[in-house]
Amino acid sequence: MQEYIHLGIVTLITFFFNMPWGYWRGSVKKFSWQWFLAVHLPIPVIIFLRYYFELGFQLYTYPFLVGAFFLGQYVGARYYKKRKARAAQTESQ
């Protein structure tokens, strides 16, 4: 049971930790070196969390953590685009 609680905690941390990186990723050119950094720099922190919470690398953890990783990146980038569109709309008025 403790293992599932740890998985939930790490999944939430992964999601919220990736939102700022996704925000940054949304503001740079796709496949540039900044984009590459925005996608890959959070990975060591997630690996540390796996070890810290003693999750290891069991197969059942991947859908949760990979999903939280990409969802956090997506939400952050989406927030940047919406904020940019809102700023452009207020400038035009």
Side-chain angles (χ1 to χ4, degrees):
M1 186 66 170
Q2 183 88 9
E3 194 170 335
Y4 296 122
I5 293 171
H6 285 172
L7 179 60
I9 291 169
V10 173
T11 301
L12 287 173
I13 292 171
T14 300
F15 172 74
F16 287 113
F17 183 72
N18 271 288
M19 286 176 59
W21 295 97
Y23 185 89
W24 178 37
R25 183 180 59 88
S27 69
V28 298
K29 184 181 174 200
K30 194 170 188 175
F31 300 118
S32 67
W33 66 274
Q34 292 113 339
W35 183 89
F36 182 80
L37 286 176
V39 171
H40 291 91
L41 279 178
I43 292 174
V45 174
I46 295 165
I47 291 172
F48 168 75
L49 289 171
R50 282 179 168 269
Y51 283 119
Y52 184 78
F53 284 96
E54 300 174 353
L55 287 177
F57 292 90
Q58 289 87 4
L59 190 58
Y60 74 90
T61 63
Y62 282 94
F64 295 99
L65 297 180
V66 171
F69 183 90
F70 287 115
L71 190 62
Q73 288 272 328
Y74 174 77
V75 169
R78 191 88 172 142
Y79 179 70
Y80 171 78
K81 290 176 186 174
K82 284 190 179 215
R83 188 168 178 215
K84 185 178 173 183
R86 195 177 318 125
Q89 185 181 22
T90 25
E91 282 182 12
S92 67
Q93 289 180 355

